[in-house]
Amino acid sequence: MEYNAKNIEYKWQEIWKKNGYAEPKDDYTLPKKYILSMFPYPSGRLHMGHVRNYSIGDALSRYYRNQGFNVLQPIGFDSFGMPAENAAIKHKIHPKIWTYDNIDYMTKELDALGFSFSKKRLLATSDPLYTKWEQEFFIKMYEKGLVYRKSAVVNWCESDQTVLANEQVEDGKCWRCGNEVVQREMQGYYLKITDYAKELLDCLETLKGKWPNQVLTMQENWIGESFGLEFEFKFDDESRTLLGGIDGFKVFTTRPDTIYGVTYAALAPEHAVVKKLLEKDLLSDEASTKLRSILNQSPKQRQASDKDGVCLNINVIHPLTGEKIPVWCANFVLNEYGGGAVMSVPAHDERDFDFASKFGLPIKQIIKADSLPYPEKNSTYINSDLINGMHYDEALEFIISKFEEQNLGKRVTNYKLRDWGISRQRYWGAPIPMIHCDKCGVVPEKIENLPVKLPEDVVITGEGNPLDTHPNFKNCKCPKCGGAAIRETDTMDTFFESSWYFARYASDEKTWEKVAFDKKSVDYWMNVDQYIGGIEHAILHLLYARFFQKVLRDLGYLHDDEPFASLLTQGMVLKDGAKMSKSKGNTVDPDDIINRYGADTARLFILFAAPPQKELEWNDSAVEGAFKFINRLYDRSSNAYKTEQIPVIDHLNLNKDEKYARLKVYEALKKSSDVFENSFTFNTLIAACMEALNALNAQNNKDVWTEGYFIILSLLEPIIPHVCYELSSELFGLKNFTKIELKNEVFVQDNINLAITVNGKRRAEIEVEKSLSKDEILQIAKKEVEKWILGKEIIKEIYVPNKLINLVIKD
Ligand code: ANZ
Ligand code: ZN
């Protein structure tokens, strides 16, 4: 029989579908594994990155099922988002239809790859049943003070009439129409992720060893904790009068020990004091023109340009020396951090140094150094009053205490992490369940009215949000006073949906209509034992998901502190050295590989070509090689015999080649637990199986063949399930794979070599089994040197274990 991937694969996919192979069991007394791959965006077709991601997840899921675990491996679609609207504009098709067509197609592709996803729990985040619960979370978070509304500066495209995410701004232009992007202040809803900054940071500790260090470091930096001093710079009388009574402004510094080196203060362009000066027209024309052009740049653009700014012609008083300090506005000061103002120490801070050099501001050195602006922490303070002569730690503590004692400032911990703005002026998203009433202000929709559904009768033109002009959607009743009110027309950032989908899967689908999560199944399945996905999600998605887990815990829905116990970030799939992508035109369509070679070949190639964490370079001849190996494996089935009973083998009676073959088979088996549970180096397991197959082929014992073949099929099943199921059911009547125990005797190095001497003269060497008794060994030895001892009297037999036997004879 020839290997026919198509027939075999289709046959087994149908069997698995019928017998519910991939469905989790409701028996919550079983040991469980929750294996989760990041869900796809329904863009239209699967790409190789998906295939890689899901091949890894499926291998783990199948392995754990074989080990007797109750496994949940769900799948769904992250189905809200911009691309559906873009497709709607381009192809004149409703985003919903486009999305659900794609979901259908991609679900078929996933099936054709033999991935054992639970279908009972298939979800699409655009389903109103999903929206309903996230709107409930939103309202509960609002009631708890975790959602608030504020006005902030955002990227705005005038021609598309929409806010753009930072990622959607390319070289200061809109990614879709190429129009210049401007900064605009807009109202939006924000999630208070900053309330959880400390816990998000502290819990990273518990993930050490289970998450890639790189991801932990990126999250740590993103949260960006720093300790320092916060104090207020007070204006001098003249400036205070000018500003109409503003007293001063707060600054944050991580280097209070450099306080005597301050020669100016710098404000962010959006700072309230700067705004006031602009409003009151207190700046020169030149200064205000420059300021406005800086204001039009995004903070990202400003960081990338040269240091720039304007003198504000106002002064503050140095809190310790009483000196007058000029105040500037600088493009590198972020409004959203540490009060949006800094004390500038140009002698010892690079940015301050560049700025001061450009504008000829004084530079006052207060730490000994060979060159400015880099201070050495162990160096000596100069020009610093009482801290001259102190060590760094001592100086830091001295200044902070001094500020605290005199009530001038306080010790603070600051975080880089910003609150998460979730308002999008888009149609294809979950409506924000809020209502604006002239009388009552902003009011949440009543829980019993959820979900707030998207109207379907809209035309997507790409200009503005169609919800804004949809009368039935927009006009509503105030839930509080019953008066006429306006519904919020912004929809939620799609990261909102991907922040809790893992917990939804963990909830029994029979309860999905009634509750967000049913406690019993969520308590059993959560948290995710192994999460698998791309490194590109190292910060945003993984941070938001961790935040949601904690919020949902505090709202009483979930109990774990962390959503993902273990994380595997898979490397990119490359071709010709570059990431496979449509725009580069270097993609390989998974469908083509399946049609040509079959799903097993695609899976084998992907898991064999590189360890999952590393980049994978596409290689046509290696795909061919994977296909050939499966053919060889298939052909070799004729060397094994049909049996329902795996042969029991008397290892000691095997010859060298047979023993070696068994050793290779069991070495592969031994390796498998580490590969699936720890290292994920599937490539080494596949190599071990190939070696074992070769060793089996180099011997003729049918029992050894049959046992070895049985084990190899079990080991490869998680990787190439179709062919392994086909062969195992054919030969061994196997319905399901189960755990195979190691046999220790196979690993015992069981032969020893002994030299035999007669009256001290070396006469022979023998190889014997270690397990033999001294008498048995002596018997073999005597036979070996028979011609030297024949007819002689042996007066002494000396046996040095593992070394030699000396026979002393009378001659
Ligand atoms: C004086 C000083 C002297 C500073 C020195 C540094 C070195 P991290 O670690 O990021 O927290 N800073 C404070 N608020 C800022 C803002 N809104 N935009 C830009 N820079 C800001 O850094 C805190 C340091 O960054 C603070 O300490 C402040 O400069 C600056 F030799 O104060 B430092
Ligand atoms: Zn009202």
Side-chain angles (χ1 to χ4, degrees):
M1 279 276 282
E2 218 173 273
Y3 172 57
N4 182 326
K6 248 202 188 105
N7 292 350
I8 293 175
E9 292 180 358
Y10 182 72
K11 170 181 158 188
W12 284 97
Q13 285 157 15
E14 287 298 300
I15 293 175
W16 294 328
K17 203 192 288 174
K18 269 195 208 104
N19 69 13
Y21 167 75
E23 297 306 335
K25 296 182 187 71
D26 290 335
D27 180 353
Y28 297 158
T29 61
L30 296 170
K32 70 97 184 177
K33 286 284 173 189
Y34 181 1
I35 310 291
L36 181 64
S37 293
M38 289 181 185
F39 64 169
Y41 177 78
S43 56
R45 301 174 83 83
L46 290 184
H47 56 66
M48 278 301 168
H50 292 131
V51 179
R52 189 175 198 195
N53 197 156
Y54 306 144
S55 294
I56 298 165
D58 200 45
L60 300 183
S61 300
R62 287 175 177 274
Y63 168 80
Y64 280 117
R65 282 189 203 108
N66 296 351
Q67 302 296 304
F69 285 86
N70 189 11
V71 171
L72 172 62
Q73 187 191 212
I75 189 72
F77 291 88
D78 190 11
S79 54
F80 271 139
M82 281 276 263
E85 286 184 54
N86 294 338
I89 298 160
K90 210 165 146 191
H91 307 299
K92 304 247 177 301
I93 177 172
H94 196 283
K96 182 176 170 182
I97 295 173
W98 183 83
T99 302
Y100 284 87
D101 281 354
N102 289 347
I103 288 177
D104 283 348
Y105 188 81
M106 288 168 80
T107 306
K108 288 202 185 86
E109 285 184 297
L110 292 171
D111 286 343
L113 281 154
F115 296 138
S116 56
F117 289 123
S118 163
K119 287 297 172 48
K120 286 198 297 201
R121 297 196 179 175
L122 189 123
L123 62 79
T125 57
S126 51
D127 185 335
L129 199 51
Y130 193 81
T131 301
K132 171 176 169 169
W133 300 111
E134 66 183 13
Q135 288 175 338
E136 179 176 309
F137 302 154
F138 186 93
I139 291 169
K140 296 240 157 108
M141 287 165 86
Y142 180 78
E143 285 164 351
K144 240 192 142 190
L146 288 170
V147 171
Y148 64 98
R149 203 168 141 77
K150 76 169 174 189
S151 175
V153 176
V154 293
N155 303 306
W156 179 257
C157 173
E158 196 54 49
S159 83
D160 285 345
Q161 290 287 301
T162 187
V163 165
L164 299 172
N166 282 337
E167 300 75 34
Q168 295 161 344
V169 182
E170 294 166 355
D171 289 332
K173 301 201 170 67
C174 171
W175 67 314
R176 206 170 59 206
C177 69
N179 214 50
E180 203 73 36
V181 170
V182 294
Q183 299 296 298
R184 171 173 165 173
E185 198 161 315
M186 273 189 77
Q187 289 276 335
Y189 287 91
Y190 287 79
L191 301 194
K192 232 175 179 182
I193 189 171
T194 50
D195 269 12
Y196 285 82
K198 185 157 173 47
E199 200 198 330
L200 286 167
L201 183 69
D202 290 349
C203 282
L204 290 176
E205 207 57 43
T206 66
L207 301 174
K208 277 207 173 126
K210 307 284 232 139
W211 280 39
N213 280 332
Q214 189 196 359
V215 176
L216 295 177
T217 308
M218 284 164 87
Q219 293 222 346
E220 189 182 328
N221 292 340
W222 188 264
I223 297 167
E225 184 179 64
S226 32
F227 301 100
L229 170 73
E230 181 187 278
F231 68 90
E232 194 175 22
F233 265 130
K234 304 262 190 224
F235 286 118
D236 66 0
D237 293 338
E238 207 180 317
S239 306
R240 188 181 305 114
T241 316
L242 203 64
L243 285 160
I246 302 181
D247 239 20
F249 54 84
K250 281 198 173 127
V251 296
F252 169 68
T253 178
T254 48
R255 295 295 305 271
D257 60 309
T258 63
I259 186 95
Y260 290 102
V262 174
T263 59
Y264 65 100
L267 302 178
E270 291 87 358
H271 197 279
V273 167
V274 181
K275 270 192 191 152
K276 192 85 174 193
L277 293 168
L278 276 174
E279 266 168 36
K280 292 192 144 200
D281 208 12
L282 292 168
L283 298 173
S284 69
D285 284 353
E286 195 193 349
S288 52
T289 309
K290 192 180 211 177
L291 205 56
R292 282 178 214 284
S293 89
I294 295 175
L295 276 166
N296 247 335
Q297 293 180 312
S298 68
K300 214 174 166 182
Q301 288 170 306
R302 292 178 209 166
Q303 299 299 319
S305 36
D306 286 342
K307 304 275 166 303
D308 206 353
V310 297
C311 177
L312 298 175
N313 289 317
I314 47 175
N315 297 294
V316 288
I317 306 293
H318 191 291
L320 299 187
T321 66
E323 281 170 288
K324 252 190 197 181
I325 305 283
V327 182
W328 283 66
C329 171
N331 66 346
F332 60 85
V333 181
L334 302 164
N335 192 43
E336 305 265 289
Y337 188 68
V342 297
M343 64 173 224
S344 301
V345 184
H348 304 296
D349 178 271
E350 196 176 356
R351 293 177 302 178
D352 298 348
F353 182 83
D354 292 347
F355 193 85
S357 307
K358 176 163 179 174
F359 294 106
L361 294 163
I363 295 172
K364 181 181 168 197
Q365 188 172 353
I366 52 108
I367 298 173
K368 276 198 181 150
D370 291 340
S371 69
L372 297 184
Y374 305 103
E376 283 169 41
K377 276 193 180 163
N378 300 330
S379 190
T380 316
Y381 293 97
I382 49 174
N383 305 322
S384 291
D385 197 29
L386 284 174
I387 62 173
N388 288 335
M390 284 187 190
H391 289 293
Y392 168 74
D393 294 331
E394 213 184 335
L396 202 69
E397 189 49 41
F398 181 87
I399 297 292
I400 295 177
S401 306
K402 196 174 175 106
F403 270 80
E404 286 189 330
E405 275 158 26
Q406 302 183 9
N407 249 331
L408 293 171
K410 59 175 196 250
R411 192 182 303 265
V412 294
T413 305
N414 255 333
Y415 296 92
K416 291 257 157 52
L417 187 65
R418 296 279 68 94
D419 280 337
W420 170 17
I422 57 113
S423 295
R424 297 288 179 272
Q425 293 67 40
R426 311 298 328 166
Y427 165 71
W428 192 235
I432 294 175
M434 302 298 269
I435 288 162
H436 304 260
C437 169
D438 279 347
K439 256 204 288 190
C440 313
V442 178
V443 189
E445 179 58 277
K446 285 187 189 151
I447 296 283
E448 64 262 33
N449 290 345
L450 302 183
V452 177
K453 280 194 198 165
L454 281 178
E456 292 189 11
D457 54 338
V458 292
V459 180
I460 317 273
T461 59
E463 269 172 43
N465 178 356
L467 297 178
D468 267 340
T469 49
H470 193 284
N472 298 343
F473 180 80
K474 205 173 165 177
N475 297 317
C476 64
K477 285 218 168 72
C478 169
K480 217 168 169 183
C481 70
I486 301 287
R487 193 178 288 290
E488 172 64 57
T489 57
D490 285 353
T491 54
M492 298 188 206
D493 181 0
T494 57
F495 275 108
F496 202 101
E497 281 93 57
S498 52
S499 294
W500 66 282
Y501 77 111
F502 45 87
R504 180 67 165 175
Y505 286 141
S507 190
D508 190 327
E509 75 287 348
K510 293 188 284 296
T511 68
W512 279 7
E513 292 230 8
K514 276 186 265 131
V515 287
F517 313 108
D518 73 295
K519 195 162 164 40
K520 230 172 98 198
S521 56
V522 159
D523 281 357
Y524 173 71
W525 286 113
M526 282 296 278
N527 51 16
V528 175
D529 293 282
Q530 184 65 55
Y531 198 29
I532 307 136
I535 185 80
E536 66 273 21
H537 298 294
I539 299 174
L540 294 185
H541 162 59
L542 288 169
L543 194 68
Y544 293 154
R546 293 182 59 223
F547 163 57
F548 258 64
Q549 174 75 32
K550 293 172 194 301
V551 170
L552 292 174
R553 174 201 62 195
D554 292 346
L555 289 172
Y557 289 104
L558 303 173
H559 72 269
D560 294 288
D561 293 330
E562 285 290 330
F564 314 121
S566 241
L567 172 70
L568 170 64
T569 47
Q570 107 243 16
M572 286 189 301
V573 182
L574 313 179
K575 188 161 187 234
D576 306 320
K579 182 183 176 174
M580 268 193 191
S581 75
K582 266 193 204 151
S583 60
K584 288 201 198 75
N586 62 348
T587 56
V588 176
D589 188 342
D591 289 357
D592 291 345
I593 301 298
I594 297 171
N595 287 335
R596 190 142 167 220
Y597 301 105
D600 281 339
T601 295
R603 299 171 59 136
L604 180 65
F605 162 73
I606 281 221
L607 295 181
F608 188 47
Q613 300 90 339
K614 297 271 164 63
E615 290 178 337
L616 183 156
E617 175 73 43
W618 189 264
N619 179 330
D620 289 327
S621 65
V623 176
E624 191 74 36
F627 180 64
K628 281 199 184 124
F629 173 73
I630 295 176
N631 274 280
R632 192 155 68 239
L633 179 73
Y634 191 85
D635 289 344
R636 292 284 146 78
S637 62
S638 56
N639 290 317
Y641 54 78
K642 275 198 183 195
T643 172
E644 303 244 321
Q645 217 72 58
I646 298 317
V648 178
I649 292 168
D650 181 2
H651 192 73
L652 296 181
N653 279 333
L654 298 180
N655 71 28
K656 230 167 110 187
D657 292 340
E658 293 161 354
K659 279 184 178 162
Y660 183 73
R662 274 195 107 204
L663 178 66
K664 288 288 136 187
V665 168
Y666 277 91
E667 272 177 3
L669 176 62
K670 200 172 180 182
K671 192 178 212 30
S672 67
S673 52
D674 176 61
V675 166
F676 287 109
E677 292 168 29
N678 256 323
S679 67
F680 310 122
T681 51
F682 306 107
N683 54 327
T684 64
L685 177 65
I686 296 165
C689 287
M690 289 173 169
E691 244 186 82
L693 198 66
N694 288 341
L696 283 174
N697 208 35
Q699 57 83 47
N700 296 312
N701 185 321
K702 281 264 171 195
D703 288 341
V704 171
W705 248 114
T706 305
E707 183 210 31
Y709 199 68
F710 175 82
I711 293 174
I712 289 174
L713 293 178
S714 314
L715 296 181
L716 291 176
E717 184 275 332
I719 297 165
I720 44 173
H722 308 88
V723 69
C724 289
Y725 262 95
E726 174 71 13
L727 292 168
S728 299
S729 75
E730 196 52 36
L731 284 169
F732 311 121
L734 208 73
K735 293 213 169 61
N736 276 307
F737 289 87
T738 48
K739 185 171 176 156
I740 303 171
E741 297 298 335
L742 282 172
K743 290 206 162 62
N744 287 326
E745 83 252 22
V746 176
F747 296 100
V748 174
Q749 280 293 349
D750 48 9
N751 289 349
I752 48 174
N753 291 309
L754 291 170
I756 309 169
T757 59
V758 179
N759 283 354
K761 265 202 191 111
R762 190 185 177 98
R763 294 298 185 195
E765 202 184 289
I766 53 165
E767 187 183 329
V768 293
E769 273 170 30
K770 211 180 189 169
S771 54
L772 298 185
S773 68
K774 180 182 168 185
D775 282 348
E776 286 169 316
I777 291 174
L778 277 171
Q779 222 165 346
I780 297 169
K782 281 178 201 167
K783 218 169 179 178
E784 198 69 23
V785 292
E786 210 172 353
K787 62 177 174 183
W788 286 282
I789 59 172
L790 201 68
K792 308 261 166 77
E793 189 192 342
I794 299 175
I795 49 176
K796 217 171 180 184
E797 297 169 344
I798 303 162
Y799 173 50
V800 185
N802 297 326
K803 277 208 174 117
L804 93 163
I805 292 163
N806 186 20
L807 303 174
V808 181
I809 53 169
K810 203 175 183 178
D811 39 8

